[in-house]
Amino acid sequence: MVGIGYRKDFSEEFLNSDILSPAFIEVAPENWLGVGGYWKKQFHQALERYPLFTHGLSLSIGSPDELDFQFLANVKAFLKETGAVLYSEHLSYAKCDNAHLYDLLPIPFTEDAVKHVAERIRKVQDFLEQKIAIEIVSYYTPVAPELTEINFINTILQEADCELLLDVNNVYVNAFNHRYHAKQFIEQLDLNRVRYIHMAGHEQVSDSLIIDTHGEAIIDPVYDLFEHTLELLGRDVPVLLERDFNIPEMEALQAEISRLSAIKENVLKRTAHAIA
Amino acid sequence: MQLLKQTRQYQSDLAGYCRTGILQHIPGIHTSNVVHYRKLVMNVVDDILQNAYPLTYDLLSETEWDSLVADFFSEHSCKSPQVWYMPKELMEYVIDTDHALLKQYPLLCNLLQFEWMETAMFMMQDIPVVHTRNGDLLFSKLVLNPEHRLMALDYPVHRKNPSAIKPEDQQPYYLAAHRDEEGQIIFTELSPALVRVIEHLQERAASIQELYQLIEQDFGIQLAEADHLAIIHFLQQAYREGLIKGFSPA
Ligand SMILES: [Fe+2]
């Protein structure tokens, strides 16, 4: 299954032609919660045709602030109403000192943050009565780090007993920005927890920095890393193509979806043979 | 609470930097890369606000706009988890803080209210109402479209380009804004008597004859034939454009 991030920017074109044929769509609940009128109609048309995956933005799981249970109750209702297959969020914070920032900031890689975040994920899972998938985010600077990134992530996953949203592009971006081996990083992750994969493009802004824009096509080294990840997984996991800016023709998006599907099918065939 | 004061402080420092551009010392931070966080945050905020307030953006100079956005985001703590709703907080911030720009642009308050109204109504949840399209405008009880708002303005920001509005344009203006079947927002300018017509219909469905009587009571007057015609004309248009949704089912 390869899905697409459903965006208002291409909603009409998407719904009025069959060029783009994803297996499912993904939205941020924040963008559709409490929305009526024109967009509700469009969204319902999309829901009639495709299963829904959700990927939140504002829960701010890594925040020092209290969890917003009113907001979470709205999310819970949204998940139920739309029959969403899963709810995922970011391993980052987007709210601090009671102010939303509408962006994903990196959590300090510290012992206390591990405990804090793991506890919050557990609380959210209890409240939603379902497991959530947490995404490793791209980051451009460490913040007062005491632990390695891999240690930070694996311990949270274990202590929270949650699922992992593995954004392969984010790992590529982080490996480039922080000079480590992306493949080795993925090999060290607790891969049994991978529930969902994200794939996207990015923008290299200097010799030493990539910004995770979701505004370009996926590059070949990220496809390679994706293939390697699937080989390690040896099982079928839903994959999402994220494209948030600089949206190309529907044909170009479909070509990326097709390429992702082909890689996945190939790897699954190979691993099935290897096992048999 | 598992989080140490120190960790909390670093998180607050990073968030504060994104909002204000003032960077405290945070151990391990890449000072050349951290600037991208501020850029990314401010780009999103600026973009959302420009989209929500295109007329305001055109009216203000670039410096005025940039400093308004910077003031807003650093001084105000955004409460909404939904970014599309955040522009409402800019409008409230300008009004609540009696922002310095209001002196230079007395109509700014109205302009922000007018522009936000369009977004808020475009996005608002659907409100179902029991009605039928079978009826007669002249005799049946009229059902108002619940997806509407009334607003009062001091400047004609709904009619004129904001930069062409003069101090002498200041007077009371009344508007109804409603969402039609296609989801588009339509603004209708109203006289004080027509505002009362809408307000009566907000309370309950009423026929034109009932509305005439209510208006006569409100204003202590006797409506002339020309007034009747003006009200009929307004209601016909309101029905065509969807401000009147239909008729009360028998
Ligand atoms: Fe992602």
PDB file of all heavy atoms in Angstrom, chain B residues 20-52:
ATOM      1  N   THR B  20      11.030  35.218  19.109  1.00  0.00           N
ATOM      2  CA  THR B  20      11.554  36.582  19.253  1.00  0.00           C
ATOM      3  C   THR B  20      12.834  36.857  18.469  1.00  0.00           C
ATOM      4  O   THR B  20      13.184  38.011  18.232  1.00  0.00           O
ATOM      5  CB  THR B  20      11.900  36.860  20.730  1.00  0.00           C
ATOM      6  OG1 THR B  20      12.948  35.946  21.106  1.00  0.00           O
ATOM      7  CG2 THR B  20      10.707  36.650  21.640  1.00  0.00           C
ATOM      8  N   GLY B  21      13.560  35.793  18.120  1.00  0.00           N
ATOM      9  CA  GLY B  21      14.862  35.974  17.478  1.00  0.00           C
ATOM     10  C   GLY B  21      15.985  36.202  18.473  1.00  0.00           C
ATOM     11  O   GLY B  21      17.129  36.418  18.077  1.00  0.00           O
ATOM     12  N   ILE B  22      15.651  36.170  19.758  1.00  0.00           N
ATOM     13  CA  ILE B  22      16.689  36.359  20.784  1.00  0.00           C
ATOM     14  C   ILE B  22      17.143  34.991  21.283  1.00  0.00           C
ATOM     15  O   ILE B  22      16.344  34.226  21.842  1.00  0.00           O
ATOM     16  CB  ILE B  22      16.161  37.204  21.967  1.00  0.00           C
ATOM     17  CG1 ILE B  22      15.698  38.570  21.456  1.00  0.00           C
ATOM     18  CG2 ILE B  22      17.227  37.351  23.061  1.00  0.00           C
ATOM     19  CD1 ILE B  22      14.819  39.335  22.436  1.00  0.00           C
ATOM     20  N   LEU B  23      18.435  34.708  21.051  1.00  0.00           N
ATOM     21  CA  LEU B  23      18.951  33.376  21.373  1.00  0.00           C
ATOM     22  C   LEU B  23      19.713  33.381  22.694  1.00  0.00           C
ATOM     23  O   LEU B  23      20.698  34.107  22.846  1.00  0.00           O
ATOM     24  CB  LEU B  23      19.859  32.879  20.234  1.00  0.00           C
ATOM     25  CG  LEU B  23      20.419  31.463  20.367  1.00  0.00           C
ATOM     26  CD1 LEU B  23      19.307  30.425  20.433  1.00  0.00           C
ATOM     27  CD2 LEU B  23      21.356  31.142  19.195  1.00  0.00           C
ATOM     28  N   GLN B  24      19.260  32.579  23.636  1.00  0.00           N
ATOM     29  CA  GLN B  24      19.981  32.361  24.903  1.00  0.00           C
ATOM     30  C   GLN B  24      21.010  31.270  24.660  1.00  0.00           C
ATOM     31  O   GLN B  24      20.924  30.536  23.680  1.00  0.00           O
ATOM     32  CB  GLN B  24      19.009  31.890  25.995  1.00  0.00           C
ATOM     33  CG  GLN B  24      17.792  32.754  26.196  1.00  0.00           C
ATOM     34  CD  GLN B  24      18.119  34.134  26.751  1.00  0.00           C
ATOM     35  OE1 GLN B  24      19.166  34.332  27.358  1.00  0.00           O
ATOM     36  NE2 GLN B  24      17.237  35.089  26.516  1.00  0.00           N
ATOM     37  N   HIS B  25      21.943  31.129  25.605  1.00  0.00           N
ATOM     38  CA  HIS B  25      22.917  30.052  25.446  1.00  0.00           C
ATOM     39  C   HIS B  25      22.266  28.696  25.728  1.00  0.00           C
ATOM     40  O   HIS B  25      21.697  28.472  26.786  1.00  0.00           O
ATOM     41  CB  HIS B  25      24.107  30.248  26.384  1.00  0.00           C
ATOM     42  CG  HIS B  25      25.012  29.060  26.371  1.00  0.00           C
ATOM     43  ND1 HIS B  25      25.838  28.774  25.301  1.00  0.00           N
ATOM     44  CD2 HIS B  25      25.181  28.052  27.262  1.00  0.00           C
ATOM     45  CE1 HIS B  25      26.482  27.649  25.545  1.00  0.00           C
ATOM     46  NE2 HIS B  25      26.114  27.186  26.729  1.00  0.00           N
ATOM     47  N   ILE B  26      22.334  27.817  24.721  1.00  0.00           N
ATOM     48  CA  ILE B  26      21.839  26.449  24.907  1.00  0.00           C
ATOM     49  C   ILE B  26      23.010  25.529  24.580  1.00  0.00           C
ATOM     50  O   ILE B  26      23.566  25.608  23.478  1.00  0.00           O
ATOM     51  CB  ILE B  26      20.651  26.145  23.953  1.00  0.00           C
ATOM     52  CG1 ILE B  26      19.505  27.141  24.160  1.00  0.00           C
ATOM     53  CG2 ILE B  26      20.168  24.705  24.149  1.00  0.00           C
ATOM     54  CD1 ILE B  26      18.390  27.053  23.125  1.00  0.00           C
ATOM     55  N   PRO B  27      23.405  24.655  25.504  1.00  0.00           N
ATOM     56  CA  PRO B  27      24.561  23.794  25.239  1.00  0.00           C
ATOM     57  C   PRO B  27      24.324  22.914  24.013  1.00  0.00           C
ATOM     58  O   PRO B  27      23.207  22.427  23.803  1.00  0.00           O
ATOM     59  CB  PRO B  27      24.672  22.926  26.501  1.00  0.00           C
ATOM     60  CG  PRO B  27      23.783  23.533  27.514  1.00  0.00           C
ATOM     61  CD  PRO B  27      22.800  24.401  26.820  1.00  0.00           C
ATOM     62  N   GLY B  28      25.383  22.767  23.229  1.00  0.00           N
ATOM     63  CA  GLY B  28      25.341  21.830  22.104  1.00  0.00           C
ATOM     64  C   GLY B  28      24.649  22.339  20.856  1.00  0.00           C
ATOM     65  O   GLY B  28      24.587  21.642  19.839  1.00  0.00           O
ATOM     66  N   ILE B  29      24.125  23.538  20.925  1.00  0.00           N
ATOM     67  CA  ILE B  29      23.351  24.036  19.784  1.00  0.00           C
ATOM     68  C   ILE B  29      24.266  24.465  18.628  1.00  0.00           C
ATOM     69  O   ILE B  29      25.362  24.966  18.849  1.00  0.00           O
ATOM     70  CB  ILE B  29      22.439  25.198  20.236  1.00  0.00           C
ATOM     71  CG1 ILE B  29      21.176  25.238  19.382  1.00  0.00           C
ATOM     72  CG2 ILE B  29      23.139  26.530  20.178  1.00  0.00           C
ATOM     73  CD1 ILE B  29      19.938  25.223  20.199  1.00  0.00           C
ATOM     74  N   HIS B  30      23.832  24.206  17.394  1.00  0.00           N
ATOM     75  CA  HIS B  30      24.568  24.690  16.216  1.00  0.00           C
ATOM     76  C   HIS B  30      24.012  26.058  15.872  1.00  0.00           C
ATOM     77  O   HIS B  30      22.936  26.163  15.286  1.00  0.00           O
ATOM     78  CB  HIS B  30      24.384  23.755  15.027  1.00  0.00           C
ATOM     79  CG  HIS B  30      24.991  22.404  15.228  1.00  0.00           C
ATOM     80  ND1 HIS B  30      24.790  21.369  14.338  1.00  0.00           N
ATOM     81  CD2 HIS B  30      25.789  21.920  16.196  1.00  0.00           C
ATOM     82  CE1 HIS B  30      25.435  20.296  14.766  1.00  0.00           C
ATOM     83  NE2 HIS B  30      26.042  20.605  15.892  1.00  0.00           N
ATOM     84  N   THR B  31      24.767  27.083  16.227  1.00  0.00           N
ATOM     85  CA  THR B  31      24.216  28.437  16.082  1.00  0.00           C
ATOM     86  C   THR B  31      23.916  28.805  14.627  1.00  0.00           C
ATOM     87  O   THR B  31      23.002  29.567  14.353  1.00  0.00           O
ATOM     88  CB  THR B  31      25.155  29.495  16.698  1.00  0.00           C
ATOM     89  OG1 THR B  31      26.483  29.160  16.349  1.00  0.00           O
ATOM     90  CG2 THR B  31      24.995  29.552  18.197  1.00  0.00           C
ATOM     91  N   SER B  32      24.692  28.221  13.687  1.00  0.00           N
ATOM     92  CA  SER B  32      24.422  28.578  12.289  1.00  0.00           C
ATOM     93  C   SER B  32      23.172  27.871  11.766  1.00  0.00           C
ATOM     94  O   SER B  32      22.516  28.350  10.845  1.00  0.00           O
ATOM     95  CB  SER B  32      25.619  28.245  11.404  1.00  0.00           C
ATOM     96  OG  SER B  32      25.926  26.879  11.546  1.00  0.00           O
ATOM     97  N   ASN B  33      22.824  26.730  12.351  1.00  0.00           N
ATOM     98  CA  ASN B  33      21.641  25.994  11.878  1.00  0.00           C
ATOM     99  C   ASN B  33      20.360  26.403  12.587  1.00  0.00           C
ATOM    100  O   ASN B  33      19.272  26.290  12.020  1.00  0.00           O
ATOM    101  CB  ASN B  33      21.834  24.485  12.079  1.00  0.00           C
ATOM    102  CG  ASN B  33      22.819  23.914  11.073  1.00  0.00           C
ATOM    103  OD1 ASN B  33      23.321  24.629  10.223  1.00  0.00           O
ATOM    104  ND2 ASN B  33      23.092  22.618  11.195  1.00  0.00           N
ATOM    105  N   VAL B  34      20.501  26.852  13.823  1.00  0.00           N
ATOM    106  CA  VAL B  34      19.291  27.119  14.607  1.00  0.00           C
ATOM    107  C   VAL B  34      18.462  28.239  13.973  1.00  0.00           C
ATOM    108  O   VAL B  34      17.240  28.275  14.109  1.00  0.00           O
ATOM    109  CB  VAL B  34      19.641  27.404  16.090  1.00  0.00           C
ATOM    110  CG1 VAL B  34      20.174  28.803  16.290  1.00  0.00           C
ATOM    111  CG2 VAL B  34      18.434  27.154  16.989  1.00  0.00           C
ATOM    112  N   VAL B  35      19.132  29.116  13.225  1.00  0.00           N
ATOM    113  CA  VAL B  35      18.410  30.216  12.555  1.00  0.00           C
ATOM    114  C   VAL B  35      17.297  29.694  11.644  1.00  0.00           C
ATOM    115  O   VAL B  35      16.288  30.371  11.445  1.00  0.00           O
ATOM    116  CB  VAL B  35      19.352  31.118  11.716  1.00  0.00           C
ATOM    117  CG1 VAL B  35      20.336  31.846  12.600  1.00  0.00           C
ATOM    118  CG2 VAL B  35      20.089  30.322  10.643  1.00  0.00           C
ATOM    119  N   HIS B  36      17.486  28.481  11.120  1.00  0.00           N
ATOM    120  CA  HIS B  36      16.461  27.931  10.233  1.00  0.00           C
ATOM    121  C   HIS B  36      15.144  27.680  10.957  1.00  0.00           C
ATOM    122  O   HIS B  36      14.080  27.762  10.345  1.00  0.00           O
ATOM    123  CB  HIS B  36      16.956  26.654   9.557  1.00  0.00           C
ATOM    124  CG  HIS B  36      18.032  26.932   8.559  1.00  0.00           C
ATOM    125  ND1 HIS B  36      17.764  27.411   7.297  1.00  0.00           N
ATOM    126  CD2 HIS B  36      19.376  26.856   8.660  1.00  0.00           C
ATOM    127  CE1 HIS B  36      18.896  27.596   6.652  1.00  0.00           C
ATOM    128  NE2 HIS B  36      19.899  27.271   7.455  1.00  0.00           N
ATOM    129  N   TYR B  37      15.239  27.373  12.254  1.00  0.00           N
ATOM    130  CA  TYR B  37      13.993  27.179  13.008  1.00  0.00           C
ATOM    131  C   TYR B  37      13.194  28.472  13.075  1.00  0.00           C
ATOM    132  O   TYR B  37      11.981  28.477  12.889  1.00  0.00           O
ATOM    133  CB  TYR B  37      14.272  26.639  14.417  1.00  0.00           C
ATOM    134  CG  TYR B  37      14.544  25.161  14.394  1.00  0.00           C
ATOM    135  CD1 TYR B  37      15.829  24.660  14.575  1.00  0.00           C
ATOM    136  CD2 TYR B  37      13.513  24.266  14.145  1.00  0.00           C
ATOM    137  CE1 TYR B  37      16.070  23.298  14.531  1.00  0.00           C
ATOM    138  CE2 TYR B  37      13.742  22.909  14.090  1.00  0.00           C
ATOM    139  CZ  TYR B  37      15.027  22.422  14.285  1.00  0.00           C
ATOM    140  OH  TYR B  37      15.256  21.084  14.218  1.00  0.00           O
ATOM    141  N   ARG B  38      13.881  29.557  13.343  1.00  0.00           N
ATOM    142  CA  ARG B  38      13.165  30.841  13.395  1.00  0.00           C
ATOM    143  C   ARG B  38      12.567  31.159  12.009  1.00  0.00           C
ATOM    144  O   ARG B  38      11.425  31.571  11.911  1.00  0.00           O
ATOM    145  CB  ARG B  38      14.109  31.964  13.863  1.00  0.00           C
ATOM    146  CG  ARG B  38      13.568  33.353  13.604  1.00  0.00           C
ATOM    147  CD  ARG B  38      13.532  34.216  14.835  1.00  0.00           C
ATOM    148  NE  ARG B  38      13.203  35.598  14.515  1.00  0.00           N
ATOM    149  CZ  ARG B  38      12.059  36.188  14.840  1.00  0.00           C
ATOM    150  NH1 ARG B  38      11.131  35.525  15.506  1.00  0.00           N
ATOM    151  NH2 ARG B  38      11.835  37.449  14.535  1.00  0.00           N
ATOM    152  N   LYS B  39      13.383  30.941  10.985  1.00  0.00           N
ATOM    153  CA  LYS B  39      12.900  31.218   9.620  1.00  0.00           C
ATOM    154  C   LYS B  39      11.677  30.373   9.287  1.00  0.00           C
ATOM    155  O   LYS B  39      10.692  30.882   8.750  1.00  0.00           O
ATOM    156  CB  LYS B  39      14.011  30.879   8.600  1.00  0.00           C
ATOM    157  CG  LYS B  39      14.934  32.028   8.299  1.00  0.00           C
ATOM    158  CD  LYS B  39      15.744  31.686   7.055  1.00  0.00           C
ATOM    159  CE  LYS B  39      17.141  32.272   7.166  1.00  0.00           C
ATOM    160  NZ  LYS B  39      18.109  31.620   6.273  1.00  0.00           N
ATOM    161  N   LEU B  40      11.752  29.079   9.600  1.00  0.00           N
ATOM    162  CA  LEU B  40      10.647  28.180   9.266  1.00  0.00           C
ATOM    163  C   LEU B  40       9.379  28.575  10.011  1.00  0.00           C
ATOM    164  O   LEU B  40       8.292  28.646   9.435  1.00  0.00           O
ATOM    165  CB  LEU B  40      11.018  26.726   9.585  1.00  0.00           C
ATOM    166  CG  LEU B  40      12.089  26.098   8.676  1.00  0.00           C
ATOM    167  CD1 LEU B  40      12.634  24.798   9.284  1.00  0.00           C
ATOM    168  CD2 LEU B  40      11.548  25.831   7.277  1.00  0.00           C
ATOM    169  N   VAL B  41       9.534  28.863  11.296  1.00  0.00           N
ATOM    170  CA  VAL B  41       8.379  29.247  12.109  1.00  0.00           C
ATOM    171  C   VAL B  41       7.763  30.543  11.568  1.00  0.00           C
ATOM    172  O   VAL B  41       6.557  30.628  11.319  1.00  0.00           O
ATOM    173  CB  VAL B  41       8.775  29.417  13.600  1.00  0.00           C
ATOM    174  CG1 VAL B  41       7.694  30.139  14.387  1.00  0.00           C
ATOM    175  CG2 VAL B  41       9.073  28.058  14.233  1.00  0.00           C
ATOM    176  N   MET B  42       8.606  31.549  11.362  1.00  0.00           N
ATOM    177  CA  MET B  42       8.076  32.842  10.938  1.00  0.00           C
ATOM    178  C   MET B  42       7.506  32.790   9.512  1.00  0.00           C
ATOM    179  O   MET B  42       6.551  33.493   9.205  1.00  0.00           O
ATOM    180  CB  MET B  42       9.134  33.945  11.069  1.00  0.00           C
ATOM    181  CG  MET B  42       9.541  34.242  12.519  1.00  0.00           C
ATOM    182  SD  MET B  42       8.179  34.412  13.728  1.00  0.00           S
ATOM    183  CE  MET B  42       7.421  35.949  13.217  1.00  0.00           C
ATOM    184  N   ASN B  43       8.078  31.926   8.664  1.00  0.00           N
ATOM    185  CA  ASN B  43       7.527  31.778   7.314  1.00  0.00           C
ATOM    186  C   ASN B  43       6.111  31.220   7.341  1.00  0.00           C
ATOM    187  O   ASN B  43       5.234  31.709   6.626  1.00  0.00           O
ATOM    188  CB  ASN B  43       8.381  30.816   6.470  1.00  0.00           C
ATOM    189  CG  ASN B  43       9.556  31.532   5.833  1.00  0.00           C
ATOM    190  OD1 ASN B  43       9.601  32.762   5.832  1.00  0.00           O
ATOM    191  ND2 ASN B  43      10.497  30.773   5.315  1.00  0.00           N
ATOM    192  N   VAL B  44       5.918  30.219   8.183  1.00  0.00           N
ATOM    193  CA  VAL B  44       4.579  29.623   8.281  1.00  0.00           C
ATOM    194  C   VAL B  44       3.591  30.671   8.784  1.00  0.00           C
ATOM    195  O   VAL B  44       2.522  30.879   8.206  1.00  0.00           O
ATOM    196  CB  VAL B  44       4.588  28.388   9.223  1.00  0.00           C
ATOM    197  CG1 VAL B  44       3.176  27.951   9.568  1.00  0.00           C
ATOM    198  CG2 VAL B  44       5.371  27.249   8.596  1.00  0.00           C
ATOM    199  N   VAL B  45       3.970  31.358   9.854  1.00  0.00           N
ATOM    200  CA  VAL B  45       3.075  32.335  10.471  1.00  0.00           C
ATOM    201  C   VAL B  45       2.751  33.464   9.478  1.00  0.00           C
ATOM    202  O   VAL B  45       1.591  33.825   9.267  1.00  0.00           O
ATOM    203  CB  VAL B  45       3.710  32.904  11.761  1.00  0.00           C
ATOM    204  CG1 VAL B  45       2.906  34.060  12.308  1.00  0.00           C
ATOM    205  CG2 VAL B  45       3.831  31.795  12.804  1.00  0.00           C
ATOM    206  N   ASP B  46       3.786  33.984   8.839  1.00  0.00           N
ATOM    207  CA  ASP B  46       3.607  35.079   7.891  1.00  0.00           C
ATOM    208  C   ASP B  46       2.713  34.647   6.718  1.00  0.00           C
ATOM    209  O   ASP B  46       1.818  35.378   6.300  1.00  0.00           O
ATOM    210  CB  ASP B  46       4.979  35.533   7.383  1.00  0.00           C
ATOM    211  CG  ASP B  46       4.891  36.852   6.648  1.00  0.00           C
ATOM    212  OD1 ASP B  46       4.712  37.875   7.321  1.00  0.00           O
ATOM    213  OD2 ASP B  46       4.959  36.857   5.408  1.00  0.00           O
ATOM    214  N   ASP B  47       2.970  33.457   6.236  1.00  0.00           N
ATOM    215  CA  ASP B  47       2.216  32.929   5.112  1.00  0.00           C
ATOM    216  C   ASP B  47       0.732  32.779   5.432  1.00  0.00           C
ATOM    217  O   ASP B  47      -0.139  33.204   4.669  1.00  0.00           O
ATOM    218  CB  ASP B  47       2.812  31.554   4.799  1.00  0.00           C
ATOM    219  CG  ASP B  47       2.591  31.177   3.363  1.00  0.00           C
ATOM    220  OD1 ASP B  47       2.884  32.029   2.515  1.00  0.00           O
ATOM    221  OD2 ASP B  47       2.105  30.053   3.123  1.00  0.00           O
ATOM    222  N   ILE B  48       0.453  32.195   6.596  1.00  0.00           N
ATOM    223  CA  ILE B  48      -0.939  31.980   7.013  1.00  0.00           C
ATOM    224  C   ILE B  48      -1.638  33.334   7.196  1.00  0.00           C
ATOM    225  O   ILE B  48      -2.787  33.521   6.786  1.00  0.00           O
ATOM    226  CB  ILE B  48      -0.988  31.194   8.347  1.00  0.00           C
ATOM    227  CG1 ILE B  48      -0.389  29.797   8.171  1.00  0.00           C
ATOM    228  CG2 ILE B  48      -2.381  31.164   8.940  1.00  0.00           C
ATOM    229  CD1 ILE B  48      -1.306  28.773   7.594  1.00  0.00           C
ATOM    230  N   LEU B  49      -0.935  34.295   7.783  1.00  0.00           N
ATOM    231  CA  LEU B  49      -1.547  35.602   8.038  1.00  0.00           C
ATOM    232  C   LEU B  49      -1.768  36.369   6.734  1.00  0.00           C
ATOM    233  O   LEU B  49      -2.794  37.017   6.551  1.00  0.00           O
ATOM    234  CB  LEU B  49      -0.698  36.410   9.023  1.00  0.00           C
ATOM    235  CG  LEU B  49      -0.687  35.863  10.455  1.00  0.00           C
ATOM    236  CD1 LEU B  49       0.314  36.622  11.325  1.00  0.00           C
ATOM    237  CD2 LEU B  49      -2.078  35.918  11.087  1.00  0.00           C
ATOM    238  N   GLN B  50      -0.807  36.292   5.828  1.00  0.00           N
ATOM    239  CA  GLN B  50      -0.989  36.965   4.525  1.00  0.00           C
ATOM    240  C   GLN B  50      -2.187  36.395   3.781  1.00  0.00           C
ATOM    241  O   GLN B  50      -2.943  37.122   3.147  1.00  0.00           O
ATOM    242  CB  GLN B  50       0.254  36.776   3.657  1.00  0.00           C
ATOM    243  CG  GLN B  50       1.353  37.761   3.952  1.00  0.00           C
ATOM    244  CD  GLN B  50       2.412  37.736   2.861  1.00  0.00           C
ATOM    245  OE1 GLN B  50       2.114  37.589   1.686  1.00  0.00           O
ATOM    246  NE2 GLN B  50       3.663  37.886   3.269  1.00  0.00           N
ATOM    247  N   ASN B  51      -2.343  35.074   3.860  1.00  0.00           N
ATOM    248  CA  ASN B  51      -3.476  34.447   3.187  1.00  0.00           C
ATOM    249  C   ASN B  51      -4.802  34.828   3.817  1.00  0.00           C
ATOM    250  O   ASN B  51      -5.807  34.948   3.129  1.00  0.00           O
ATOM    251  CB  ASN B  51      -3.332  32.925   3.202  1.00  0.00           C
ATOM    252  CG  ASN B  51      -2.452  32.457   2.063  1.00  0.00           C
ATOM    253  OD1 ASN B  51      -2.586  32.924   0.942  1.00  0.00           O
ATOM    254  ND2 ASN B  51      -1.521  31.578   2.352  1.00  0.00           N
ATOM    255  N   ALA B  52      -4.800  34.987   5.138  1.00  0.00           N
ATOM    256  CA  ALA B  52      -6.049  35.312   5.833  1.00  0.00           C
ATOM    257  C   ALA B  52      -6.403  36.795   5.679  1.00  0.00           C
ATOM    258  O   ALA B  52      -7.571  37.159   5.676  1.00  0.00           O
ATOM    259  CB  ALA B  52      -5.934  34.951   7.304  1.00  0.00           C
TER     260      ALA B  52
END
